[in-house]
Amino acid sequence: MHYLSFTWNPSEGIDLGFFMIRYYSLMFVVAFTLGWILTKKIYEREGLSQEKLDSLFIYMVVATLAGARLGHVIFYQPELFVQDPLSVFLPIQTVPEFEFTGFQGLASHGAAIAILIAMYFYTKNVIKKPFLWIMDRIVIAVAAGGIFVRIGNFMNSEIIGKPSGDFPLGVRFVHEGIRKQDAVNATGIKEPSKAYDAIVHNPQFSELLNAVPFRHPAQLYEAAGYVIVFLVCWYLYWKTERRKQIGYIFGVFLILLFMVRFLVEYVKASQGGFESALGLLSTGQWLSIPFIIAGIYIMWKASKKPITE
């Protein structure tokens, strides 16, 4: 039944010898670059200066990275503030031992909250336009960027799905299913990447490999959903008059993006957080509900406004 399934054993990134460019970091670079290009076209259409675009880029980068990291720690790993405070903002861990981890453990809900706050100050201090005006425009770039961030999660074998059973599309995440030290101990190969390669390709370790279950590629499901969100928001801005109803596109974005997040949570492995206390839904689903409700209200209010020039 696994005719569309495959085993996922990626390298950590592009090894330059003196430095490793991690795929996850590279996907963030792609996301921000694409966002800048898309927003530049919008700013040109709106008659806004390059200087204002550059300021927007700085606000967005800082808000996205800081908010996503803080959101993950607050919602999913609050113990890090006490156990390993340096790991909250630095790409390292110091407990149980020092390790360069790269930037990982980022929550989209935290990024969303931080972007809202940052855009409030941006509209007040830089472009002097209504808050919802800028939100209608940047969500196109945010949706596009989200696609590549989730692809980066897939490259990192993180935010994985639940075991897929007989579902034909499943992925065996070797790095998640077998810890580095266990791979090294089982194979006797000291270099983790070579140890994983041996487990995947050497029949001698087939029993160890077969113990790793096929899982839903939840990251790719979410990325595919974000493609739809991007296309809808792009179409509304460039091909309709909805951009003149301030808040409409932003409302649609909130509904679609967090509905995608809500639905994908059903096949996503638990990320922890406060779901055990509330029950019924996952932490990600509970956090998505307020955004969906806000989106419905914002879109409804905007739809009642007349289309103006």
Side-chain angles (χ1 to χ4, degrees), residues 19-296:
F19 183 73
M20 173 76 75
I21 302 177
R22 295 178 181 269
Y23 291 124
Y24 188 51
S25 300
L26 185 60
M27 289 299 101
F28 262 90
V29 172
V30 172
F32 284 124
T33 302
L34 178 60
W36 187 86
I37 293 171
L38 291 169
T39 309
K40 185 175 187 292
K41 295 292 185 182
I42 292 173
Y43 269 44
E44 288 174 352
R45 181 181 193 177
E46 303 289 352
L48 294 172
S49 68
Q50 178 73 40
E51 182 181 1
K52 289 182 171 58
L53 176 62
D54 292 341
S55 296
L56 174 65
F57 184 77
I58 295 171
Y59 273 82
M60 286 293 294
V61 170
V62 173
T64 300
L65 295 179
R69 182 58 183 153
L70 266 178
H72 174 83
V73 175
I74 292 171
F75 297 136
Y76 298 100
Q77 285 186 289
E79 67 275 9
L80 284 183
F81 286 115
V82 175
Q83 296 176 0
D84 192 7
L86 288 177
S87 71
V88 174
F89 284 112
L90 298 178
I92 62 171
Q93 69 174 28
T94 61
V95 177
E97 59 186 17
F98 181 88
E99 180 183 354
F100 180 81
T101 60
F103 288 104
Q104 57 185 1
L106 304 175
S108 58
H109 297 94
I113 294 170
I115 289 172
L116 291 173
I117 296 171
M119 289 304 97
Y120 171 80
F121 287 104
Y122 175 75
T123 55
K124 293 292 184 183
N125 299 326
V126 181
I127 61 171
K128 313 295 184 183
K129 285 183 176 290
F131 170 76
L132 290 178
W133 185 94
I134 189 63
M135 296 309 299
D136 282 338
R137 285 144 182 84
I138 66 164
V139 293
I140 298 172
V142 171
I147 299 167
F148 292 94
V149 171
R150 284 297 177 249
I151 292 174
N153 293 137
F154 179 78
M155 300 297 292
N156 259 13
S157 299
E158 60 185 5
I159 315 182
I160 60 172
K162 297 175 181 177
S164 56
D166 290 332
F167 189 68
L169 176 58
V171 177
R172 187 154 47 192
F173 293 96
V174 179
H175 291 199
E176 187 279 334
I178 305 172
R179 296 185 307 169
K180 285 184 181 181
Q181 193 57 51
D182 291 339
V184 169
N185 292 340
T187 61
I189 301 173
K190 293 184 179 180
E191 188 175 332
S193 61
K194 292 182 179 179
Y196 281 125
D197 287 341
I199 291 171
V200 172
H201 301 293
N202 191 333
Q204 177 184 349
F205 305 109
S206 59
E207 185 175 341
L208 183 59
L209 178 63
N210 291 334
V212 179
F214 286 97
R215 294 178 175 273
H216 287 283
Q219 317 95 320
L220 300 184
Y221 296 165
E222 202 164 336
Y226 291 169
V227 170
I228 297 173
V229 178
F230 164 72
L231 291 175
V232 170
C233 292
W234 182 90
Y235 179 82
L236 288 174
Y237 177 80
W238 286 102
K239 300 298 182 179
T240 76
E241 299 295 296
R242 290 296 191 181
R243 69 184 183 279
K244 297 177 181 178
Q245 292 177 300
I246 296 177
Y248 188 90
I249 299 176
F250 178 48
V252 170
F253 167 83
L254 288 177
I255 296 168
L256 293 181
L257 185 127
F258 286 100
M259 278 300 299
V260 168
R261 179 67 192 273
F262 187 93
L263 293 174
V264 172
E265 285 285 326
Y266 282 113
V267 296
K268 187 183 293 184
S270 173
Q271 302 295 301
F274 51 77
E275 60 191 44
S276 58
L278 295 180
L280 188 62
L281 301 174
S282 71
T283 301
Q285 288 174 318
W286 283 115
L287 292 172
S288 296
I289 290 173
F291 288 101
I292 295 171
I293 294 173
I296 293 172

